[in-house]
Amino acid sequence: MAVRLFSASAGRKWVLGAVLAVLVAGGLHTGFNTNAFGPDRLCGGWLRSSDVERVLDGPGRLSDSGTDTVCTVKKSGLLVGGDASVTVRIAAEPGKFPFATGSWTASATQRLFTGQAGGGVDGYGGWALLPASCRIPAGVPSDKSDAKAAVVASVAGGSAGEGALVRLLSAAAESAAARSGCAAEGRPTELASARTSPADFARVCALPGFTIPAVTGDKGRAGRAQVTGDLGTAWICDLSFAGDKRGPYARFAAVRDPLLAQGLSTSGAVRLDCPGGPVYATVDNNTYPWDPAERKAAGLLPEKDLRDRFATAVAGALHCPAAR
């Protein structure tokens, strides 16, 4: 005779209990480890939740704190590790930003982007400029009469995809400009590529016609060139010594994009009146920590000579008349 270990009613109760457990677990996961049913916009409507989710990729619930000019969004949950966050703020940057002499914020370690907003990003944050007609919002600290508005983002607790950061910065900049009544005509956003190669002083930064005497680092360090962007829109090249944590010893930029070119006309850049609009060629080599004797021993030309050679090469590459 067969022995019945469970009654039919007991079996149904067990199945029902298991189903309820799954539903409860699913509800807890949805409630605490996703942003389902959360608001579509954060920070007083300034940021889109979907843009923040892409930056803070992975499971978690979003919560925001701040205002519509500086706001931090955190991702947290029961089943995730340390909290991740992104802070977005509107800043009053100097008129020559991001190409202020000795403190370039633009770098070939970033990926430049252009469009309705223009800026640069890496995996841990970035910046985007607003149109020149935008005023600095009330409540944003500013002590410069020529200050211009930018949106700045920084990521904590991990890194973010560069494309996701561009989307967040672009949308935040567009929203801020629209609120101020200074939005520019929409243009497709383009994210530039970045590449690194050995230094070639007969063709510096892979730019035809750009030559300088060889520069040698201490202990015979080899040189390298990092390039981001497109020469006809916005292009940056950093020259550095391999393995040198002090950063590049020279930087070069050629900028046509109107947003990124703001301030270059007063920064000592060379203006080239090229087909399709002016291009500004500029150089910075004031951040590298060496004294004049070390610089001379390395063989780096004076900044004016670097700028003249670079501008001539840019003019040739873009078929522009020589600078006057």
Side-chain angles (χ1 to χ4, degrees):
M1 184 176 89
V3 178
R4 177 175 291 180
L5 298 179
F6 297 99
S7 68
S9 60
R12 286 193 294 272
K13 290 179 180 179
W14 183 89
V15 171
L16 180 59
V19 170
L20 288 174
V22 170
L23 291 174
V24 169
L28 288 173
H29 171 73
T30 300
F32 290 98
N33 294 309
T34 75
N35 203 50
F37 312 117
D40 292 334
R41 301 194 73 92
L42 301 163
C43 304
W46 183 25
L47 306 180
R48 291 194 298 245
S49 300
S50 58
D51 292 337
V52 177
E53 283 185 291
R54 290 184 177 91
V55 170
L56 303 178
D57 190 25
R61 190 82 176 161
L62 300 181
S63 59
D64 62 330
S65 59
T67 67
D68 58 0
T69 59
V70 56
C71 188
T72 296
V73 182
K74 293 183 178 180
K75 179 192 71 177
S76 58
L78 293 176
L79 304 179
V80 298
D83 292 351
S85 66
V86 59
T87 297
V88 183
R89 62 186 175 88
I90 297 179
E93 299 291 356
K96 296 176 182 178
F97 177 91
F99 297 108
T101 301
S103 60
W104 278 26
T105 305
S107 170
T109 60
Q110 301 172 328
R111 294 183 66 184
L112 297 178
F113 63 94
T114 56
Q116 190 161 345
V121 295
D122 58 24
Y124 298 94
W127 50 273
L129 289 172
L130 272 64
S133 58
C134 293
R135 296 181 179 179
I136 307 299
V140 175
S142 175
D143 58 359
K144 303 291 184 181
S145 59
D146 65 343
K148 56 189 177 186
V151 175
V152 180
S154 57
V155 178
S159 60
E162 293 163 340
L165 275 167
V166 169
R167 183 166 182 164
L168 174 68
L169 282 165
S170 296
E174 291 167 18
S175 177
R179 289 184 178 190
S180 299
C182 57
E185 181 180 350
R187 293 180 294 158
T189 299
E190 297 183 9
L191 179 60
S193 61
R195 55 266 189 206
T196 301
S197 63
D200 180 355
F201 299 106
R203 190 183 171 102
V204 182
C205 302
L207 179 59
F210 187 23
T211 65
I212 62 174
V215 180
T216 56
D218 60 336
K219 302 178 183 178
R221 291 188 183 188
R224 67 175 185 174
Q226 290 178 279
V227 177
T228 184
D230 176 82
L231 194 62
T233 306
W235 178 97
I236 297 174
C237 176
D238 293 350
L239 293 182
S240 59
F241 300 118
D244 191 344
K245 298 186 182 301
R246 294 175 292 180
Y249 60 82
R251 286 176 170 167
F252 305 88
V255 184
R256 187 201 302 271
D257 180 78
L259 276 174
L260 297 180
Q262 296 177 47
L264 279 173
S265 62
T266 61
S267 69
V270 176
R271 174 177 167 140
L272 300 170
D273 293 315
C274 303
V279 174
Y280 293 90
T282 188
V283 174
D284 186 59
N285 64 168
N286 293 303
T287 56
Y288 194 73
W290 56 11
D291 59 38
E294 289 176 306
R295 177 191 173 111
K296 184 176 180 180
L300 185 62
L301 292 172
E303 184 168 293
K304 182 181 183 304
D305 293 342
L306 289 175
R307 186 184 297 110
D308 289 346
R309 291 189 181 213
F310 175 58
T312 298
V314 172
L318 297 177
H319 309 289
C320 317
R324 294 187 297 271

